[in-house]
Amino acid sequence: MKPVVQKPRPKRQELVVPAKVPEPVKEQEPVVEQVETPAATEVAAVASQAPAGPGVPDGAVGGVVGGVVGGVVGGKAGGQGTAPPIYTPREVMKLPVLLSGKPEYPRRAREDGITGVVMVMVVIGTDGAVEPGSPRIHRSVPGLDEAALESVSGWRFSPALGHGGAPVRVKVVIPVKFALR
């Protein structure tokens, strides 16, 4: 009787794509142009001439005590206010936790056997939602990137908590895994 020799099965090769070198994240202040409309000018002129009375704090309708015409509640005098800061995972007391969401596997990628993990950088707001326009590819897998961006945009998280215990905005990198079963 001849011994049975098993041929080694060829290993399934996974598509390996070198990661793109991520561009440095540049935090930029949004550019806000303050345009003075005729209505705002008229309100300012009337407010400066009218005595402050009950129901009209500092003489500007809808204003707050000590406010500036055209200002933002809670903003700095003469400015338009600023967005809350964005923290890194090292700067928060509690990281966000995924509450709902999973990636949608693109049909074409599934048919072609493309698998991998796309790393997506996002900003999670104080409400636990991914801030619109924030998702960016941190590490790419061609054929899966667009699906990862679309999926992550709709995911919900528990908000990150700052050291004071209040919800804060945080920038995190999320791994989005696409695997065939």
Side-chain angles (χ1 to χ4, degrees):
M1 181 176 224
K2 282 185 166 180
V4 178
V5 178
Q6 287 186 334
K7 293 182 184 177
R9 291 177 97 184
K11 291 184 180 179
R12 184 175 181 179
Q13 293 185 352
E14 212 174 289
L15 177 63
V16 178
V17 179
K20 291 182 181 178
V21 176
E23 295 180 24
V25 179
K26 297 177 184 173
E27 296 295 328
Q28 296 180 346
E29 290 287 324
V31 177
V32 179
E33 290 185 32
Q34 190 169 4
V35 179
E36 190 130 349
T37 62
T41 307
E42 291 168 7
V43 170
V46 171
S48 64
Q49 296 169 359
V56 184
D58 285 44
V61 176
V64 295
V65 176
V68 181
V69 174
V72 175
V73 175
K76 296 178 181 175
Q80 289 291 326
T82 57
I86 299 174
Y87 293 89
T88 64
R90 292 182 180 154
E91 298 173 316
V92 298
M93 183 174 70
K94 182 178 180 238
L95 290 171
V97 175
L98 179 64
L99 300 176
S100 66
K102 69 177 201 168
E104 289 291 324
Y105 215 124
R107 184 176 47 89
R108 176 69 185 209
R110 184 184 299 275
E111 289 170 358
D112 292 346
I114 300 173
T115 62
V117 178
V118 179
M119 303 297 275
V120 181
M121 183 185 310
V122 299
V123 175
I124 299 173
T126 57
D127 61 351
V130 173
E131 292 188 358
S134 73
R136 301 270 187 267
I137 296 296
H138 192 67
R139 188 174 76 200
S140 175
V141 177
L144 298 174
D145 292 350
E146 200 61 40
L149 289 173
E150 287 177 22
S151 293
V152 168
S153 294
W155 291 5
R156 296 290 301 178
F157 297 83
S158 64
L161 299 179
H163 290 289
V168 295
R169 298 168 71 210
V170 65
K171 183 182 293 188
V172 295
V173 177
I174 301 171
V176 183
K177 184 176 181 179
F178 294 91
L180 297 172
R181 295 179 191 196

